[in-house]
Amino acid sequence: VQLQASGGGLVQAGGSLRLSCAASGRIFSINDMNWYRQAPGKERELVAIITSGGSTNYADSVKGRFAISRDTARNTFYLQMSSLKPEDTALYYCNVRGQEAWYERVMDYWGKGTQVTVSS
């Protein structure tokens, strides 16, 4: 499974961005789809989760401002970010848990990060 993230950029505080993550390659199943972020000097943190059933969960710091969604048919998921703050500045990574074949174990797959910078 390969993941390609896109949509990052520079935005002013209060603005919006939409991140996308497309999965390709050998895909038998994809379970949870997640967005993480890592700011300079900080540990990577989980931002948002969407399960195969469509349930979502968010870090407290982004609740009410970010929304995760998925297009199962296209193996693509999104992170709509609104009311952005300078503290949202980070490298954002997409992650999925899935299988490349029915006989293989469930694994974590990661995309390369996409930079989000929010200016004050």
Side-chain angles (χ1 to χ4, degrees), residues 82-95:
S82 304
S83 301
L84 283 161
K85 304 175 181 180
E87 51 264 43
D88 294 318
T89 295
L91 197 56
Y92 282 70
Y93 296 91
C94 56
N95 158 264

Side-chain angles (χ1 to χ4, degrees), residues 1-119:
V1 178
Q2 291 84 47
L3 300 178
Q4 180 65 52
S6 60
L10 173 64
V11 64
Q12 289 189 333
S16 299
L17 281 175
R18 188 193 195 207
L19 306 183
S20 300
C21 183
S24 62
R26 294 176 66 215
I27 301 172
F28 172 73
S29 68
I30 292 179
N31 302 326
D32 297 347
M33 292 176 155
N34 312 303
W35 285 99
Y36 287 76
R37 68 184 181 187
Q38 187 167 19
K42 295 187 177 181
E43 294 187 355
R44 189 174 297 189
E45 64 170 341
L46 180 60
V47 176
I49 300 170
I50 185 164
T51 69
S52 57
S55 298
T56 60
N57 204 357
Y58 300 91
D60 287 342
S61 58
V62 307
K63 279 181 181 176
R65 301 187 297 121
F66 289 12
I68 189 170
S69 60
R70 66 190 287 172
D71 183 338
T72 303
R74 297 186 178 187
N75 286 325
T76 302
F77 61 112
Y78 310 92
L79 186 67
Q80 179 67 48
M81 306 184 293
S82 304
S83 301
L84 283 161
K85 304 175 181 180
E87 51 264 43
D88 294 318
T89 295
L91 197 56
Y92 282 70
Y93 296 91
C94 56
N95 158 264
V96 302
R97 306 211 77 208
Q99 292 171 278
E100 291 191 337
W102 66 268
Y103 50 83
E104 295 189 5
R105 62 189 176 96
V106 175
M107 294 180 60
D108 278 307
Y109 298 92
W110 292 89
K112 293 183 179 179
T114 183
Q115 179 67 40
V116 172
T117 303
V118 184
S119 63

